[in-house]
Amino acid sequence: MLFDTHCHLDAPPLGDDVEGALSRARDRGVTRVLVPGVEPRQWPTLAALAERHASVSIAIGIHPQCLPELADADLADGLADLAAAARLYGAVAIGECGFDGAIAKESGVSLVRQSEIVRAHVEVADALGLPLVVHVLDAMGHALAFFEALGPRPHGAVLHAFGGPAALVPRWSALGFFFGIGPSITWPRAKRPKEAARVVPIERLLLETDAPGTYVHGSPSRTGEPGQLVAVLDALVTLRDEPSEVLVTSIGANAVRLFGP
Ligand SMILES: [Zn+2]
């Protein structure tokens, strides 16, 4: 079983052909997909996806890149609704939430403000006994300091689209984090993500496509889709010492351990 643990299946253009994307994924052995929440108006769409497709699980959360477009009142309402929505829609995780240095620079939603929003997600995840899906872009030091101050995540978490640095893997691991390895390791010149994917302990590896925004090297189109997870796995196999079957079995078990059966 291959599990795409981070795929924006509802996002255009993927959202226009969910059936096709899921069926192509199934043909390649990708039988489960986790679709992250990005903002409150999108949550009912996720719920409908999960209801229609047994292979789809969802997370409920507010993405830092959505914050600039979200009115203060809508953000406050969304955070207040987070726990109830996660329960109502059967979310298997809280997120994605996180820290985005580019958003802090460009939009004025500071990392301090982003921390308050992540903290609200953490509280809900802890209260519901769910793992956290975390996005970190250009804010690695800040994010690590934030989570180290909180201590280990009691129900686990994933640092999605992990591209290094490899040196920080032990510190994130000590906090109960898994690492979402994505299409970046398929790109010939991507040295840092490959170094990181080599050193993640096997019991902390997860695979993701982060589609449709990212796609694998050699893909015929610039739209990622869950079936491309196989190319991510193939790239990982070339980077690691374990045989392919061992990686597939362990990574599948990791995903179930974090997100449930
Ligand atoms: Zn995402």
Side-chain angles (χ1 to χ4, degrees), residues 154-188:
H155 308 286
V158 55
L159 194 51
H160 112 82
F162 183 64
L168 293 183
V169 167
R171 286 170 70 185
W172 283 106
S173 295
L175 294 171
F177 274 74
F178 290 68
F179 301 83
I181 305 296
S184 62
I185 63 165
T186 67
W187 292 84

mmCIF file of all heavy atoms in Angstrom, residues 154-188:
data_model
loop_
_atom_site.group_PDB
_atom_site.id
_atom_site.type_symbol
_atom_site.label_atom_id
_atom_site.label_comp_id
_atom_site.label_asym_id
_atom_site.label_seq_id
_atom_site.Cartn_x
_atom_site.Cartn_y
_atom_site.Cartn_z
ATOM 1 N N PRO A 154 2.325 14.852 21.638
ATOM 2 C CA PRO A 154 1.829 13.599 22.219
ATOM 3 C C PRO A 154 1.210 12.653 21.196
ATOM 4 O O PRO A 154 1.244 11.442 21.384
ATOM 5 C CB PRO A 154 0.795 14.074 23.241
ATOM 6 C CG PRO A 154 0.450 15.470 22.838
ATOM 7 C CD PRO A 154 1.651 16.032 22.179
ATOM 8 N N HIS A 155 0.630 13.169 20.132
ATOM 9 C CA HIS A 155 -0.009 12.308 19.127
ATOM 10 C C HIS A 155 0.706 12.394 17.783
ATOM 11 O O HIS A 155 0.132 12.079 16.746
ATOM 12 C CB HIS A 155 -1.490 12.659 19.013
ATOM 13 C CG HIS A 155 -2.170 12.653 20.349
ATOM 14 N ND1 HIS A 155 -2.478 11.489 21.020
ATOM 15 C CD2 HIS A 155 -2.505 13.670 21.190
ATOM 16 C CE1 HIS A 155 -3.011 11.789 22.192
ATOM 17 N NE2 HIS A 155 -3.029 13.104 22.323
ATOM 18 N N GLY A 156 1.942 12.863 17.824
ATOM 19 C CA GLY A 156 2.758 12.885 16.619
ATOM 20 C C GLY A 156 2.468 14.074 15.717
ATOM 21 O O GLY A 156 1.522 14.856 15.945
ATOM 22 N N ALA A 157 3.301 14.213 14.694
ATOM 23 C CA ALA A 157 3.180 15.315 13.742
ATOM 24 C C ALA A 157 4.006 14.964 12.524
ATOM 25 O O ALA A 157 4.854 14.079 12.581
ATOM 26 C CB ALA A 157 3.702 16.615 14.368
ATOM 27 N N VAL A 158 3.718 15.664 11.427
ATOM 28 C CA VAL A 158 4.560 15.502 10.240
ATOM 29 C C VAL A 158 5.045 16.867 9.776
ATOM 30 O O VAL A 158 4.277 17.830 9.734
ATOM 31 C CB VAL A 158 3.835 14.750 9.096
ATOM 32 C CG1 VAL A 158 2.515 15.406 8.713
ATOM 33 C CG2 VAL A 158 4.739 14.639 7.857
ATOM 34 N N LEU A 159 6.337 16.929 9.492
ATOM 35 C CA LEU A 159 6.924 18.092 8.863
ATOM 36 C C LEU A 159 6.843 17.797 7.375
ATOM 37 O O LEU A 159 7.600 16.990 6.848
ATOM 38 C CB LEU A 159 8.378 18.211 9.329
ATOM 39 C CG LEU A 159 9.132 19.496 9.075
ATOM 40 C CD1 LEU A 159 8.350 20.709 9.553
ATOM 41 C CD2 LEU A 159 10.483 19.438 9.768
ATOM 42 N N HIS A 160 5.870 18.419 6.716
ATOM 43 C CA HIS A 160 5.591 18.017 5.340
ATOM 44 C C HIS A 160 6.561 18.705 4.380
ATOM 45 O O HIS A 160 7.117 19.748 4.694
ATOM 46 C CB HIS A 160 4.101 18.271 5.039
ATOM 47 C CG HIS A 160 3.829 19.344 4.057
ATOM 48 N ND1 HIS A 160 3.907 19.117 2.704
ATOM 49 C CD2 HIS A 160 3.498 20.634 4.210
ATOM 50 C CE1 HIS A 160 3.620 20.254 2.077
ATOM 51 N NE2 HIS A 160 3.376 21.183 2.957
ATOM 52 N N ALA A 161 6.765 18.083 3.225
ATOM 53 C CA ALA A 161 7.704 18.585 2.205
ATOM 54 C C ALA A 161 9.078 18.854 2.809
ATOM 55 O O ALA A 161 9.691 19.892 2.546
ATOM 56 C CB ALA A 161 7.156 19.856 1.538
ATOM 57 N N PHE A 162 9.543 17.913 3.593
ATOM 58 C CA PHE A 162 10.816 18.129 4.276
ATOM 59 C C PHE A 162 11.972 18.076 3.276
ATOM 60 O O PHE A 162 12.161 17.089 2.587
ATOM 61 C CB PHE A 162 11.023 17.084 5.374
ATOM 62 C CG PHE A 162 12.296 17.303 6.154
ATOM 63 C CD1 PHE A 162 12.458 18.447 6.914
ATOM 64 C CD2 PHE A 162 13.334 16.380 6.109
ATOM 65 C CE1 PHE A 162 13.637 18.679 7.624
ATOM 66 C CE2 PHE A 162 14.514 16.595 6.822
ATOM 67 C CZ PHE A 162 14.662 17.749 7.576
ATOM 68 N N GLY A 163 12.740 19.170 3.256
ATOM 69 C CA GLY A 163 13.865 19.247 2.323
ATOM 70 C C GLY A 163 15.167 19.566 3.032
ATOM 71 O O GLY A 163 16.091 20.104 2.441
ATOM 72 N N GLY A 164 15.227 19.267 4.309
ATOM 73 C CA GLY A 164 16.432 19.525 5.074
ATOM 74 C C GLY A 164 16.308 20.770 5.923
ATOM 75 O O GLY A 164 15.235 21.387 5.958
ATOM 76 N N PRO A 165 17.359 21.144 6.626
ATOM 77 C CA PRO A 165 18.661 20.489 6.581
ATOM 78 C C PRO A 165 18.717 19.163 7.354
ATOM 79 O O PRO A 165 18.051 19.012 8.385
ATOM 80 C CB PRO A 165 19.597 21.518 7.225
ATOM 81 C CG PRO A 165 18.729 22.346 8.104
ATOM 82 C CD PRO A 165 17.369 22.357 7.462
ATOM 83 N N ALA A 166 19.543 18.262 6.844
ATOM 84 C CA ALA A 166 19.686 16.938 7.443
ATOM 85 C C ALA A 166 20.119 17.014 8.902
ATOM 86 O O ALA A 166 19.706 16.200 9.729
ATOM 87 C CB ALA A 166 20.699 16.119 6.633
ATOM 88 N N ALA A 167 20.922 18.026 9.218
ATOM 89 C CA ALA A 167 21.460 18.141 10.579
ATOM 90 C C ALA A 167 20.360 18.318 11.626
ATOM 91 O O ALA A 167 20.573 18.035 12.807
ATOM 92 C CB ALA A 167 22.430 19.317 10.652
ATOM 93 N N LEU A 168 19.172 18.794 11.210
ATOM 94 C CA LEU A 168 18.099 19.034 12.183
ATOM 95 C C LEU A 168 17.188 17.828 12.389
ATOM 96 O O LEU A 168 16.297 17.854 13.249
ATOM 97 C CB LEU A 168 17.258 20.243 11.756
ATOM 98 C CG LEU A 168 17.986 21.591 11.787
ATOM 99 C CD1 LEU A 168 17.024 22.715 11.423
ATOM 100 C CD2 LEU A 168 18.619 21.856 13.155
ATOM 101 N N VAL A 169 17.402 16.762 11.628
ATOM 102 C CA VAL A 169 16.526 15.588 11.732
ATOM 103 C C VAL A 169 16.445 15.037 13.162
ATOM 104 O O VAL A 169 15.343 14.761 13.657
ATOM 105 C CB VAL A 169 16.954 14.495 10.715
ATOM 106 C CG1 VAL A 169 16.280 13.161 11.021
ATOM 107 C CG2 VAL A 169 16.608 14.953 9.298
ATOM 108 N N PRO A 170 17.567 14.891 13.883
ATOM 109 C CA PRO A 170 17.461 14.349 15.252
ATOM 110 C C PRO A 170 16.606 15.224 16.179
ATOM 111 O O PRO A 170 15.848 14.692 17.000
ATOM 112 C CB PRO A 170 18.921 14.322 15.736
ATOM 113 C CG PRO A 170 19.741 14.265 14.484
ATOM 114 C CD PRO A 170 18.976 15.066 13.469
ATOM 115 N N ARG A 171 16.703 16.549 16.022
ATOM 116 C CA ARG A 171 15.937 17.423 16.922
ATOM 117 C C ARG A 171 14.441 17.350 16.629
ATOM 118 O O ARG A 171 13.616 17.314 17.544
ATOM 119 C CB ARG A 171 16.463 18.859 16.832
ATOM 120 C CG ARG A 171 17.806 18.987 17.560
ATOM 121 C CD ARG A 171 18.483 20.299 17.293
ATOM 122 N NE ARG A 171 17.793 21.436 17.920
ATOM 123 C CZ ARG A 171 18.175 22.711 17.737
ATOM 124 N NH1 ARG A 171 19.234 22.993 16.974
ATOM 125 N NH2 ARG A 171 17.518 23.692 18.319
ATOM 126 N N TRP A 172 14.077 17.316 15.346
ATOM 127 C CA TRP A 172 12.649 17.169 15.001
ATOM 128 C C TRP A 172 12.145 15.779 15.409
ATOM 129 O O TRP A 172 11.016 15.627 15.886
ATOM 130 C CB TRP A 172 12.427 17.386 13.502
ATOM 131 C CG TRP A 172 12.453 18.826 13.076
ATOM 132 C CD1 TRP A 172 13.451 19.464 12.392
ATOM 133 C CD2 TRP A 172 11.429 19.817 13.289
ATOM 134 N NE1 TRP A 172 13.110 20.786 12.165
ATOM 135 C CE2 TRP A 172 11.878 21.021 12.708
ATOM 136 C CE3 TRP A 172 10.167 19.797 13.916
ATOM 137 C CZ2 TRP A 172 11.115 22.204 12.723
ATOM 138 C CZ3 TRP A 172 9.413 20.977 13.936
ATOM 139 C CH2 TRP A 172 9.889 22.161 13.355
ATOM 140 N N SER A 173 12.971 14.761 15.230
ATOM 141 C CA SER A 173 12.570 13.398 15.604
ATOM 142 C C SER A 173 12.281 13.319 17.098
ATOM 143 O O SER A 173 11.314 12.680 17.530
ATOM 144 C CB SER A 173 13.679 12.393 15.269
ATOM 145 O OG SER A 173 13.880 12.329 13.890
ATOM 146 N N ALA A 174 13.124 13.981 17.892
ATOM 147 C CA ALA A 174 12.954 13.955 19.352
ATOM 148 C C ALA A 174 11.625 14.575 19.760
ATOM 149 O O ALA A 174 11.101 14.303 20.843
ATOM 150 C CB ALA A 174 14.117 14.685 20.019
ATOM 151 N N LEU A 175 11.057 15.415 18.874
ATOM 152 C CA LEU A 175 9.771 16.057 19.164
ATOM 153 C C LEU A 175 8.586 15.225 18.673
ATOM 154 O O LEU A 175 7.443 15.674 18.712
ATOM 155 C CB LEU A 175 9.730 17.447 18.520
ATOM 156 C CG LEU A 175 10.727 18.463 19.101
ATOM 157 C CD1 LEU A 175 10.765 19.724 18.247
ATOM 158 C CD2 LEU A 175 10.353 18.811 20.542
ATOM 159 N N GLY A 176 8.873 14.032 18.177
ATOM 160 C CA GLY A 176 7.786 13.160 17.715
ATOM 161 C C GLY A 176 7.364 13.413 16.281
ATOM 162 O O GLY A 176 6.298 12.952 15.861
ATOM 163 N N PHE A 177 8.187 14.134 15.526
ATOM 164 C CA PHE A 177 7.824 14.448 14.141
ATOM 165 C C PHE A 177 8.226 13.333 13.176
ATOM 166 O O PHE A 177 9.284 12.715 13.322
ATOM 167 C CB PHE A 177 8.495 15.754 13.676
ATOM 168 C CG PHE A 177 7.704 16.990 14.030
ATOM 169 C CD1 PHE A 177 7.663 17.446 15.347
ATOM 170 C CD2 PHE A 177 6.992 17.682 13.068
ATOM 171 C CE1 PHE A 177 6.926 18.573 15.682
ATOM 172 C CE2 PHE A 177 6.263 18.818 13.395
ATOM 173 C CZ PHE A 177 6.221 19.262 14.701
ATOM 174 N N PHE A 178 7.362 13.118 12.189
ATOM 175 C CA PHE A 178 7.676 12.334 11.009
ATOM 176 C C PHE A 178 8.083 13.338 9.915
ATOM 177 O O PHE A 178 7.867 14.543 10.065
ATOM 178 C CB PHE A 178 6.453 11.528 10.545
ATOM 179 C CG PHE A 178 6.087 10.395 11.465
ATOM 180 C CD1 PHE A 178 5.590 10.649 12.736
ATOM 181 C CD2 PHE A 178 6.234 9.080 11.070
ATOM 182 C CE1 PHE A 178 5.254 9.601 13.601
ATOM 183 C CE2 PHE A 178 5.894 8.029 11.925
ATOM 184 C CZ PHE A 178 5.409 8.292 13.184
ATOM 185 N N PHE A 179 8.640 12.806 8.817
ATOM 186 C CA PHE A 179 9.136 13.670 7.748
ATOM 187 C C PHE A 179 8.472 13.290 6.427
ATOM 188 O O PHE A 179 8.600 12.147 5.971
ATOM 189 C CB PHE A 179 10.658 13.532 7.631
ATOM 190 C CG PHE A 179 11.381 13.886 8.901
ATOM 191 C CD1 PHE A 179 11.532 12.964 9.922
ATOM 192 C CD2 PHE A 179 11.875 15.174 9.094
ATOM 193 C CE1 PHE A 179 12.176 13.286 11.111
ATOM 194 C CE2 PHE A 179 12.515 15.516 10.279
ATOM 195 C CZ PHE A 179 12.666 14.567 11.293
ATOM 196 N N GLY A 180 7.759 14.231 5.825
ATOM 197 C CA GLY A 180 7.108 13.993 4.541
ATOM 198 C C GLY A 180 8.106 14.237 3.416
ATOM 199 O O GLY A 180 8.539 15.362 3.196
ATOM 200 N N ILE A 181 8.489 13.153 2.734
ATOM 201 C CA ILE A 181 9.457 13.255 1.637
ATOM 202 C C ILE A 181 8.680 13.350 0.328
ATOM 203 O O ILE A 181 7.828 12.497 0.045
ATOM 204 C CB ILE A 181 10.397 12.024 1.621
ATOM 205 C CG1 ILE A 181 11.078 11.838 2.985
ATOM 206 C CG2 ILE A 181 11.402 12.134 0.485
ATOM 207 C CD1 ILE A 181 11.998 12.956 3.412
ATOM 208 N N GLY A 182 8.970 14.377 -0.451
ATOM 209 C CA GLY A 182 8.174 14.644 -1.646
ATOM 210 C C GLY A 182 8.979 14.714 -2.925
ATOM 211 O O GLY A 182 10.141 14.284 -2.977
ATOM 212 N N PRO A 183 8.367 15.266 -3.984
ATOM 213 C CA PRO A 183 8.972 15.292 -5.317
ATOM 214 C C PRO A 183 10.343 15.959 -5.393
ATOM 215 O O PRO A 183 11.080 15.710 -6.358
ATOM 216 C CB PRO A 183 7.957 16.078 -6.154
ATOM 217 C CG PRO A 183 6.657 15.823 -5.480
ATOM 218 C CD PRO A 183 6.987 15.768 -4.004
ATOM 219 N N SER A 184 10.713 16.776 -4.424
ATOM 220 C CA SER A 184 12.000 17.486 -4.536
ATOM 221 C C SER A 184 13.168 16.505 -4.689
ATOM 222 O O SER A 184 14.149 16.818 -5.361
ATOM 223 C CB SER A 184 12.230 18.407 -3.338
ATOM 224 O OG SER A 184 12.286 17.666 -2.153
ATOM 225 N N ILE A 185 13.046 15.286 -4.121
ATOM 226 C CA ILE A 185 14.173 14.345 -4.223
ATOM 227 C C ILE A 185 14.302 13.722 -5.610
ATOM 228 O O ILE A 185 15.262 13.024 -5.889
ATOM 229 C CB ILE A 185 14.105 13.204 -3.165
ATOM 230 C CG1 ILE A 185 12.865 12.338 -3.355
ATOM 231 C CG2 ILE A 185 14.170 13.757 -1.753
ATOM 232 C CD1 ILE A 185 12.945 11.010 -2.597
ATOM 233 N N THR A 186 13.321 13.974 -6.490
ATOM 234 C CA THR A 186 13.425 13.438 -7.855
ATOM 235 C C THR A 186 14.216 14.367 -8.763
ATOM 236 O O THR A 186 14.527 14.009 -9.892
ATOM 237 C CB THR A 186 12.026 13.217 -8.498
ATOM 238 O OG1 THR A 186 11.402 14.496 -8.707
ATOM 239 C CG2 THR A 186 11.138 12.341 -7.624
ATOM 240 N N TRP A 187 14.522 15.565 -8.297
ATOM 241 C CA TRP A 187 15.187 16.556 -9.155
ATOM 242 C C TRP A 187 16.700 16.395 -9.069
ATOM 243 O O TRP A 187 17.265 16.347 -7.970
ATOM 244 C CB TRP A 187 14.746 17.974 -8.769
ATOM 245 C CG TRP A 187 13.300 18.142 -9.115
ATOM 246 C CD1 TRP A 187 12.224 17.781 -8.353
ATOM 247 C CD2 TRP A 187 12.772 18.609 -10.354
ATOM 248 N NE1 TRP A 187 11.048 18.009 -9.033
ATOM 249 C CE2 TRP A 187 11.347 18.517 -10.255
ATOM 250 C CE3 TRP A 187 13.344 19.104 -11.532
ATOM 251 C CZ2 TRP A 187 10.513 18.895 -11.311
ATOM 252 C CZ3 TRP A 187 12.504 19.479 -12.568
ATOM 253 C CH2 TRP A 187 11.100 19.379 -12.449
ATOM 254 N N PRO A 188 17.369 16.294 -10.230
ATOM 255 C CA PRO A 188 18.800 15.962 -10.256
ATOM 256 C C PRO A 188 19.665 16.861 -9.380
ATOM 257 O O PRO A 188 20.577 16.389 -8.722
ATOM 258 C CB PRO A 188 19.175 16.131 -11.735
ATOM 259 C CG PRO A 188 17.902 15.946 -12.481
ATOM 260 C CD PRO A 188 16.802 16.428 -11.579
#
